[in-house]
Amino acid sequence: MEVWMKIKNSINEDWFEAISKGDDQAFTELYYASYKELFGFLLSLTRNKEDAEDLLQNTYIRIRNGSHLYKKQGTPMTWMCAIAKNQYLEKIKRITV
């Protein structure tokens, strides 16, 4: 079984604190545990692979830079999807302005 498949089953909430302290391994583990689900979410919004890939990259930048803001309420994926959705909405706003 691949490493990401083992990690996928649970996102460790402690990763966010570790990421906020500069732990690259925690960020890598979070990425492999969540990127497929986040990409699928963004693809369902954009219906365009390239746009979803761009937004996914921006989402992980925001997650990394904002990891200190994560609160253990709800699920980590809910928090990350909210960031992804906001990235999508910002893109739409830039296009329509």
Side-chain angles (χ1 to χ4, degrees):
M1 180 182 292
E2 291 184 53
V3 172
W4 72 266
M5 291 177 81
K6 292 177 188 173
I7 297 169
K8 173 87 172 105
N9 294 329
S10 67
I11 294 175
N12 185 338
E13 292 181 328
D14 294 333
W15 287 338
F16 295 103
E17 183 177 349
I19 292 165
S20 72
K21 293 177 180 176
D23 187 334
D24 291 335
Q25 182 62 35
F27 182 75
T28 299
E29 291 177 16
L30 176 65
Y31 174 81
Y32 282 110
S34 60
Y35 80 94
K36 285 188 178 187
E37 191 170 345
L38 274 179
F39 178 73
F41 175 69
L42 287 166
L43 190 58
S44 73
L45 295 175
T46 63
R47 298 190 172 147
N48 179 289
K49 183 181 177 214
E50 290 79 19
D51 287 343
E53 288 170 347
D54 289 344
L55 289 170
L56 184 66
Q57 181 178 11
N58 292 340
T59 297
Y60 279 104
I61 291 169
R62 290 284 174 106
I63 289 169
R64 183 177 204 116
N65 293 339
S67 60
H68 65 285
L69 299 172
Y70 176 74
K71 305 287 184 237
K72 293 183 179 182
Q73 301 170 348
T75 68
M77 187 54 71
T78 300
W79 184 74
M80 293 177 5
C81 282
I83 293 171
K85 181 180 173 187
N86 287 337
Q87 290 298 301
Y88 170 72
L89 294 173
E90 286 178 22
K91 180 179 177 64
I92 294 301
K93 187 189 295 185
R94 283 191 307 269
I95 291 172
T96 58
V97 172

